[in-house]
Amino acid sequence: MAVNTLKPKQKAAPRGNTMRPQPKPMVEETPRPKGISIFQLLERYTKMDAIFRDGLPVKYLPQVLFGMGVALFYIGNTHYAEKSIRKIDKLKVEAEDLRADYTTLKSDYMEASKQSEVARNVLPLGLEESKTPPYQVIVKEDEY
């Protein structure tokens, strides 16, 4: 179990009127090799500096927010549709498996319910199939 203990503080040098340490001079970064980057191309062809020269154009903010909302709705709808398609495919496979099971069980049941199969299955119980055909018993009305 842990015990709370106080660690002794290290004694610092006494404070006094001393000069602050001078920061180390920053090492100048080597200039990047000249080449064409994506941002340079965008800046060259879109002229975004002219739009933002006077600040953020607030008058376009509702249209931008509406466009962003429509884009988010479109993305969400696409994800929902793809999820639904995956679920439908999974259910189709499951339905095919159940249909195959149903067909197999139905054929087994029809085979087991034949008269010859029933007679063979009840023979160990001591039951036999009748060799004589059935006959009809006629009862007169006054006898009953």
Side-chain angles (χ1 to χ4, degrees):
M1 183 174 241
V3 178
N4 291 334
T5 59
L6 292 175
K7 294 182 180 178
K9 292 183 179 179
Q10 294 179 356
K11 292 186 178 182
R15 292 187 179 188
N17 289 335
T18 59
M19 293 186 63
R20 292 185 183 170
Q22 295 296 325
K24 296 178 183 175
M26 294 188 62
V27 178
E28 291 186 25
E29 295 181 15
T30 57
R32 289 184 48 173
K34 298 221 177 203
I36 298 175
S37 71
I38 294 173
F39 297 110
Q40 288 175 346
L41 289 174
L42 285 174
E43 188 175 333
R44 184 184 308 162
Y45 292 114
T46 58
K47 306 292 185 202
M48 294 300 274
D49 289 338
I51 295 173
F52 294 109
R53 183 176 301 134
D54 297 330
L56 185 65
V58 180
K59 64 180 181 179
Y60 298 117
L61 196 58
Q63 289 89 350
V64 170
L65 290 177
F66 178 75
M68 288 173 55
V70 168
L72 286 174
F73 177 76
Y74 182 74
I75 291 169
N77 193 25
T78 304
H79 284 294
Y80 177 75
E82 288 178 1
K83 186 171 80 171
S84 298
I85 289 171
R86 283 193 297 269
K87 188 186 287 186
I88 288 170
D89 289 341
K90 189 165 83 170
L91 289 175
K92 278 184 182 179
V93 169
E94 187 177 341
E96 289 177 12
D97 290 344
L98 290 174
R99 187 178 297 119
D101 290 344
Y102 166 75
T103 306
T104 303
L105 290 173
K106 183 178 175 185
S107 66
D108 290 345
Y109 174 71
M110 291 192 64
E111 180 70 26
S113 64
K114 286 183 181 177
Q115 182 182 357
S116 59
E117 287 294 318
V118 172
R120 188 168 53 91
N121 289 337
V122 297
L123 192 60
L125 299 174
L127 298 175
E128 292 181 356
E129 191 175 350
S130 175
K131 304 290 183 203
T132 60
Y135 57 92
Q136 184 175 9
V137 177
I138 300 174
V139 179
K140 296 180 184 174
E141 288 184 22
D142 57 348
E143 285 185 25
Y144 186 67

